[in-house]
Amino acid sequence: MTATYMIRPITPADDAAMAALIRRSLEDAGLDRPGTAYCDPQLDRLAEYYAGLERPGAYWVAVERVGSRHGRGSGDDDGGGDDCDSVADSCAASGLAMNDCNAYDPGTDGIVVGGVGIAAWPGSEDTCELQKLYVAANRRGLGLGRRLLERALMFAGEHYRRCYLETHSSLQAACGLYRSAGFEVLDGPLPGGEHSAMDMWAVKEVGTE
């Protein structure tokens, strides 16, 4: 059966699935530690967090349509201490079994298989940050990562002049995606960031103002 996908704004029903997907991706990459998104306090409530931003920002999820979940899905991904929850913690908090959490279905809409966000960069009026671009491991290779990135950059260009990102050089597919999208690698991070474990920083001009 052919899989079909859509990208839409996140809702609270997507939070548990997206948090588990992000944590699992970081665990697989050996990045489940402080200084990464793994320990972000807002990770289990992304819908509320992005809806409450004072400056323009948003988070989108990639959803595989119900009835097509046997097809191999999509894209590329981005890309601990005691206060960091694990995938099991995310699933337990949502009331889902581990086997069900990765394929959490928020209703007739479909299965959440990826996501990406945009938020203002602290202390800058014209710079935003590309945040939490991830695609489920069993949904990579179909271009979902690029579709998510394009959606985020379209939004960024409507509100900001530059889009900045922080990632890790070990995430080779994500780094390649960013370079192909026109991001220019920087020698170091912009001041004000929270993800000290990242070792690759890049920026792209997205707006004219």
Side-chain angles (χ1 to χ4, degrees):
M1 184 178 296
T2 302
T4 59
Y5 301 90
M6 70 173 178
I7 295 173
R8 60 161 174 76
I10 193 170
T11 71
D14 306 318
D15 280 344
M18 199 62 231
L21 189 160
I22 291 171
R23 289 194 173 103
R24 181 173 287 107
S25 296
L26 290 168
E27 288 169 5
D28 290 346
L31 294 171
D32 49 331
R33 60 179 188 264
T36 74
Y38 197 86
C39 296
D40 285 357
Q42 70 271 22
L43 193 54
D44 292 299
R45 50 180 185 83
L46 292 177
E48 175 187 353
Y49 174 78
Y50 283 92
L53 294 174
E54 294 183 0
R55 296 176 59 195
Y59 198 90
W60 302 267
V61 290
V63 177
E64 180 181 313
R65 295 288 193 174
V66 170
S68 59
R69 61 183 69 179
H70 295 298
R72 184 176 178 274
S74 133
D76 316 73
D77 79 17
D78 177 64
D82 292 340
D83 58 343
C84 302
D85 294 331
S86 66
V87 171
D89 294 328
S90 298
C91 295
S94 69
L96 299 170
M98 277 295 294
N99 289 340
D100 296 330
C101 194
N102 191 42
Y104 176 58
D105 185 347
T108 58
D109 195 14
I111 303 166
V112 174
V113 295
V116 68
I118 289 287
W121 183 254
S124 175
E125 293 297 323
D126 65 357
T127 302
C128 65
E129 183 186 17
L130 182 78
Q131 299 180 341
K132 297 177 177 61
L133 172 56
Y134 295 92
V135 173
N138 61 350
R139 295 295 187 274
R140 296 174 190 163
L142 298 181
L144 276 184
R146 185 171 297 278
R147 286 179 59 188
L148 286 163
L149 178 59
E150 289 173 351
R151 181 65 188 86
L153 292 178
M154 182 184 302
F155 177 90
E158 295 170 354
H159 301 281
Y160 300 94
R161 185 173 65 86
R162 300 190 304 167
C163 184
Y164 170 74
L165 67 84
E166 299 183 332
T167 187
H168 199 275
S169 57
S170 65
L171 304 175
Q172 296 182 5
C175 294
L177 174 63
Y178 300 142
R179 287 191 177 95
S180 70
F183 279 87
E184 297 182 4
V185 177
L186 304 175
D187 293 331
L190 296 183
E194 299 178 349
H195 295 149
S196 59
M198 299 296 96
D199 65 357
M200 177 180 165
W201 314 274
V203 68
K204 175 181 172 66
E205 298 288 328
V206 293
T208 58
E209 296 183 0

